[in-house]
Amino acid sequence: MRTRISLLVAVVALAACQNKEAAKEATIEEPVAVTEVSQNTPQADDNLWLEEVEGERALDWVRAQNERSLADVQGHPVYEGNLEAAMELAVSDERIPYGRIIDGQVYNFWQDDTNVRGIWRRTSLSQYEQEKPEWETVLDFDQLARDEDKNWVNKGTDCFVPQAGPVRRCMVSLSDGGKDAVVNREFDLIDKVFVADGFSTPEAKQGLAWIDADTLLVATDWEQDGSTLTESGYPSSVRVLQRGQSLDEAQMLYTGDKTDVGVWPWSQTLDDGQVIYGAVEADTFFTATYWLLDGDTPRKMPIPPKATPGEIFEGYQLVTLQQDWVIPEQDASFQSGDLVAFELNSFLKSGVLPRVQLVFRANERQAVNGVAVSSAGALLSINDNVTGRLLTLTRTNAGWQTNDVELPGTGRAGIAFSDKKSPIVFINYEGFLSPDSLLRFDARTSELTTLKSLPAKFNTDGLVVEQKEVLSKDGTRVPYFLIRRDDVKFDGTTPTLLYGYGGFEISLLPSYSPGLGRMWLEKGGAYALANIRGGGEFGPAWHQAGLKGKRQVIYDDFIAIGEDLIESKLTSSKHLGIMGGSNGGLLMGVMMTQRPDLWNAVVVQVPLLDMLRYHKLLAGASWVDEYGDPEIPEERAFLEQISPYHNFDQETEYPTPFFVTSTKDDRVHPGHARKMARLFESAEKPFLYYENIDGGHSAAANQKERAKRTALEFTYLADRLFEEE
């Protein structure tokens, strides 16, 4: 389905970025018992002034903390070496140019030392398969920023694909400084210029979808004053915009409720070239209704609220379930995590749900990722015990069949890009110690070949990867990966970094991180990746086990892994550090307040920390289905129990944390990190703080800023964890 729904996708992108650089119905359970609320909970919040994102007093405080903290970290002997390594890796040409296929050409967005903001470029498919393709620049974002005196950050493109003729019209999304809010402008792909008097939308958190070359579906902040947005700050209505019309003239197609997370447009091209379109009304972060709007009356797509529609394959709409689905009239039932399908044209003609078929059922240690459709077949991507696996997908008279695709090894394997007009599917493969490879899969022959492979970016001699398991507090088996030297002494002295996320059904899989390798593993550090509940490693049930009042199990899982690393005598509390961003930043805050004795370094990236006000800040209201609603007394009681901001104790000795956030983050409010750091300051406890003035939710607007942030983080970790006994 061609749609610009960005909530969960954006969170996934951040987690993937952090992991690379460091690198829904379930059985109803009783919520975790709520114990007495901390007596240290502030009755009145004296730090609300720090929530004024660009308030003069707040920014003065930020600049003072930046100056103090940067002087501290940048003065460490290893910083310059870390920065040099991070910069070299960030701008290196030795990267695989992933992209997408349009009209037989591969389009790629590329950043390097010269193209700091990046260029959008293209090459032929045959050239792309060469070692050094010849690229043609389509759009230079650095030049655009200079011409317009803007801090433009590329947020992607959405092109209209006609049934016949070349692709010409694209909408380019531009962010000022990396925010989620963007402006959209129409771009001519053939003439390589923005279209004079073409489609254009002002800055907002918004979504677009093409109906035809002269018609767009648009969801945006229509009045530019927030009055048409949901309580979560996202669009609440979809309108149709014809070429030549102003936004004021756009015709209303669908309006949701203020309490929705948001309403976005979607469109999908059928095998015969027909375009169907509509609106996605997200009632919560995990539930949505897909409306067809191509008639006089909106029609619901016949899928459960917790389900994700995917590609169309041989006329069948593929759907991944995040809840059980019972269909009495068909005497059929399906399980959460199943991949199912139904004949889409039959539904479009009759309005009746055709017989739903089971395509693939994941076992308890698997999860469906997605399906790529080519002109000669389909390829299914799944997690299997937290590693990647690919299967060919075939529809026969006897039902749906799958066959394994043999991969180079055990690691992350995912679909990079495909084209329904081509039999070729491109696959990304990597592991903790295996650099990225681009594999070429021919759906006609099932032949898999390595097309491109990166050279090693760090020395892996003597490194080993282990997948381990630990029993959590409630007896659940929780896996984690450990990368260490094979000759390590189990005497409790190995500097060890434990990374985690644990939310929103996001999976943390093996990946190759040159920065982690160069700045940590090469220097003798060990790295652990936690596959705790709340993630998607084992499908919807693994995620839903930690929703709302059940969330303590996520934190128990992470603590159990930390304790296991210590009990094995690999490391000790003095040499154990942790890192996480966004929801993982909340995890870091909880770990710091619940078990301050267990860690000696905590990197808290773009975090949520005030869990009693998170729903009032930026996109926070959209996450109540994950965390709980502070306006509901019993849910508020649990949130107050875990909220790092409300469990800070002036008498407790905490590890010195490093807070990292961004002024331009319009998803997770920088006030979370600011206010928590202020508690440390008021209690005269040591802490470090860095707030990038630009950068959006990744806290870095371009490769150089990202390299600086990474160098700062690993310098801090080295200072805290490589201390002499």
Side-chain angles (χ1 to χ4, degrees):
M1 227 168 233
R2 198 165 67 235
T3 178
R4 298 292 295 277
I5 303 174
S6 59
L7 290 176
L8 187 55
V9 172
V11 178
V12 171
L14 173 68
C17 174
Q18 303 287 12
N19 183 32
K20 285 280 288 178
E21 293 304 319
K24 335 183 173 151
E25 296 288 338
T27 302
I28 301 298
E29 299 177 8
E30 291 296 321
V32 175
V34 177
T35 59
E36 185 178 2
V37 176
S38 168
Q39 296 304 309
N40 300 297
T41 300
Q43 297 303 308
D45 192 344
D46 295 329
N47 299 319
L48 289 178
W49 56 277
L50 287 166
E51 292 181 4
E52 297 178 24
V53 177
E54 296 188 353
E56 183 177 351
R57 182 185 176 195
L59 285 180
D60 284 346
W61 181 89
V62 167
R63 293 185 185 100
Q65 299 307 322
N66 279 355
E67 182 178 2
R68 175 187 64 82
S69 300
L70 289 176
D72 184 297
V73 181
Q74 292 175 337
H76 193 279
V78 305
Y79 175 73
E80 287 302 326
N82 280 345
L83 182 62
E84 182 180 352
M87 286 291 187
E88 175 194 333
L89 294 169
V91 301
S92 171
D93 287 343
E94 292 181 325
R95 287 174 282 139
I96 292 177
Y98 294 105
R100 59 178 293 201
I101 301 175
I102 301 176
D103 285 344
Q105 292 184 298
V106 177
Y107 283 73
N108 162 256
F109 176 68
W110 184 260
Q111 293 173 297
D112 56 26
D113 193 25
T114 303
N115 306 289
V116 176
R117 300 175 192 275
I119 55 173
W120 194 28
R121 59 185 190 171
R122 64 190 173 202
T123 190
S124 68
L125 196 54
S126 59
Q127 270 289 318
Y128 183 73
E129 297 186 1
Q130 302 300 313
E131 182 178 352
K132 293 184 178 181
E134 294 181 2
W135 293 96
E136 173 192 5
T137 297
V138 177
L139 178 58
D140 185 330
F141 290 92
D142 292 270
Q143 187 62 52
L144 182 66
R146 287 191 294 269
D147 290 345
E148 301 184 354
D149 193 24
K150 289 283 191 178
N151 186 16
W152 287 135
V153 175
N154 174 32
K155 286 286 187 173
T157 55
D158 188 6
C159 300
F160 174 67
V161 182
Q163 182 68 6
V167 174
R168 184 161 199 153
R169 303 300 192 189
C170 298
M171 295 300 292
V172 175
S173 297
L174 300 168
S175 165
D176 184 6
K179 296 180 291 186
D180 286 350
V182 297
V183 300
N184 282 293
R185 296 182 188 170
E186 187 177 8
F187 188 79
D188 188 314
L189 209 54
I190 295 177
D191 292 342
K192 300 188 293 185
V193 295
F194 285 102
V195 178
D197 299 321
F199 288 118
S200 179
T201 60
E203 182 180 78
K205 293 182 180 181
Q206 57 186 287
L208 306 172
W210 291 93
I211 296 179
D212 57 44
D214 296 312
T215 313
L216 275 179
L217 293 180
V218 180
T220 189
D221 182 2
W222 293 100
E223 300 299 328
Q224 290 291 294
D225 61 2
S227 63
T228 62
L229 300 179
T230 66
E231 294 172 0
S232 297
Y234 293 100
S236 65
S237 63
V238 171
R239 306 184 190 186
V240 60
L241 182 66
Q242 303 288 344
R243 185 171 298 281
Q245 287 183 328
S246 66
L247 284 182
D248 292 340
E249 296 174 298
Q251 177 188 352
M252 180 72 72
L253 285 187
Y254 189 82
T255 301
D257 300 320
K258 277 284 189 180
T259 55
D260 289 336
V261 169
V263 179
W264 289 271
W266 64 267
S267 64
Q268 194 168 23
T269 303
L270 307 184
D271 293 339
D272 62 2
Q274 176 189 355
V275 176
I276 59 173
Y277 57 89
V280 186
E281 182 177 10
D283 304 296
T284 71
F285 200 90
F286 303 112
T287 60
T289 302
Y290 285 76
W291 296 99
L292 279 164
L293 301 177
D294 50 357
D296 295 332
T297 305
R299 292 188 294 163
K300 284 185 179 182
M301 288 285 285
I303 60 176
K306 292 184 179 180
T308 305
E311 296 279 5
I312 299 172
F313 178 52
E314 296 184 357
Y316 281 78
Q317 175 68 65
L318 298 170
V319 180
T320 304
L321 301 179
Q322 284 85 41
Q323 68 174 77
D324 293 346
W325 189 14
V326 178
I327 311 173
E329 59 272 23
Q330 296 185 11
D331 191 26
S333 62
F334 302 95
Q335 299 176 9
S336 179
D338 284 350
L339 178 65
V340 300
F342 61 87
E343 287 186 277
L344 182 56
N345 272 324
S346 176
F347 165 72
L348 294 174
K349 292 176 181 177
S350 67
V352 177
L353 174 65
R355 177 159 292 278
V356 179
Q357 302 175 9
L358 177 65
V359 178
F360 179 82
R361 173 160 292 166
N363 65 34
E364 64 177 9
R365 305 299 271 187
Q366 294 177 333
V368 171
N369 290 327
V371 175
V373 177
S374 73
S375 63
L379 203 58
L380 170 64
S381 168
I382 67 170
N383 295 345
D384 193 341
N385 199 26
V386 206
T387 58
R389 185 174 160 199
L390 296 174
L391 307 98
T392 58
L393 185 62
T394 309
R395 190 176 63 84
T396 70
N397 292 332
W400 296 80
Q401 296 181 352
T402 59
N403 288 288
D404 274 289
V405 176
E406 187 173 350
L407 294 169
T410 301
R412 174 198 295 259
I415 297 157
F417 54 103
S418 62
D419 182 7
K420 290 185 178 181
K421 297 179 181 179
S422 169
I424 305 303
V425 178
F426 292 95
I427 297 163
N428 159 256
Y429 174 79
E430 59 187 293
F432 288 114
L433 306 181
S434 302
D436 294 32
S437 294
L438 184 67
L439 311 180
R440 181 184 187 273
F441 178 77
D442 191 326
R444 296 165 299 192
T445 62
S446 294
E447 181 183 11
L448 186 71
T449 55
T450 299
L451 192 63
K452 300 176 186 291
S453 185
L454 291 184
K457 297 290 186 177
F458 63 94
N459 186 0
T460 61
D461 291 346
L463 293 177
V464 294
V465 177
E466 300 173 295
Q467 188 176 24
K468 304 172 75 69
E469 270 189 351
V470 63
L471 289 181
S472 191
K473 187 176 181 179
D474 64 358
T476 300
R477 293 182 300 130
V478 179
Y480 69 94
F481 289 100
L482 176 64
I483 302 93
R484 61 171 177 83
R485 296 200 63 80
D486 58 3
D487 60 354
V488 69
K489 294 179 180 180
F490 287 88
D491 59 1
T493 63
T494 303
T496 302
L497 173 62
L498 172 60
Y499 183 89
Y501 187 79
F504 295 94
E505 204 174 334
I506 293 169
S507 303
L508 299 186
L509 303 176
S511 64
Y512 189 76
S513 174
L516 173 72
R518 190 80 65 86
M519 287 177 273
W520 191 253
L521 297 175
E522 278 189 356
K523 296 179 179 180
Y527 175 70
L529 182 68
N531 301 119
I532 55 182
R533 280 173 283 186
E537 287 86 347
F538 301 137
W542 194 247
H543 166 234
Q544 293 163 11
L547 285 178
K548 294 189 175 183
K550 299 180 287 184
R551 201 163 197 83
Q552 184 60 42
V553 301
I554 296 170
Y555 308 134
D556 291 342
D557 290 355
F558 196 81
I559 289 169
I561 294 172
E563 291 177 334
D564 194 55
L565 292 168
I566 293 171
E567 289 170 5
S568 70
K569 296 192 182 302
L570 171 72
T571 192
S572 61
S573 294
K574 183 176 183 179
H575 298 288
L576 179 57
I578 55 178
M579 177 188 285
S582 192
N583 172 73
L586 169 60
L587 173 66
M588 297 301 102
V590 174
M591 291 301 96
M592 187 162 50
T593 52
Q594 288 193 0
R595 288 299 305 272
D597 60 304
L598 207 53
W599 341 97
N600 195 34
V602 186
V603 182
V604 192
Q605 303 163 317
V606 289
L608 289 88
L609 294 168
D610 181 348
M611 297 309 291
L612 300 187
R613 280 184 56 77
Y614 83 91
H615 64 309
K616 298 179 180 293
L617 302 174
L618 298 176
S622 65
W623 306 322
V624 294
D625 210 35
E626 174 81 15
Y627 299 122
D629 189 344
E631 304 301 325
I632 298 174
E634 58 270 27
E635 294 186 4
R636 180 184 181 88
F638 176 75
L639 287 168
E640 193 165 7
Q641 180 187 346
I642 66 167
S643 176
Y645 186 64
H646 298 88
N647 284 276
F648 177 84
D649 185 350
Q650 295 190 23
E651 303 304 317
T652 297
E653 183 177 346
Y654 293 105
T656 300
F658 185 14
F659 297 98
V660 180
T661 190
S662 169
T663 309
K664 294 290 188 181
D665 189 346
D666 56 352
R667 192 182 313 159
V668 175
H669 199 292
H672 285 279
R674 293 176 180 180
K675 294 199 303 179
M676 190 75 180
R678 175 64 177 162
L679 291 183
F680 275 79
E681 182 184 37
S682 298
E684 298 183 348
K685 294 183 179 295
F687 71 98
L688 294 169
Y689 185 93
Y690 175 60
E691 181 173 322
N692 187 10
I693 302 302
D694 291 310
H697 192 47
S698 66
N702 57 57
Q703 296 285 63
K704 290 185 176 181
E705 290 179 6
R706 191 170 295 114
K708 177 182 177 181
R709 190 204 71 200
T710 303
L712 290 169
E713 291 168 347
F714 278 103
T715 301
Y716 157 81
L717 289 167
D719 180 50
R720 297 291 300 169
L721 305 181
F722 275 88
E723 291 178 334
E724 296 294 333
E725 292 291 334

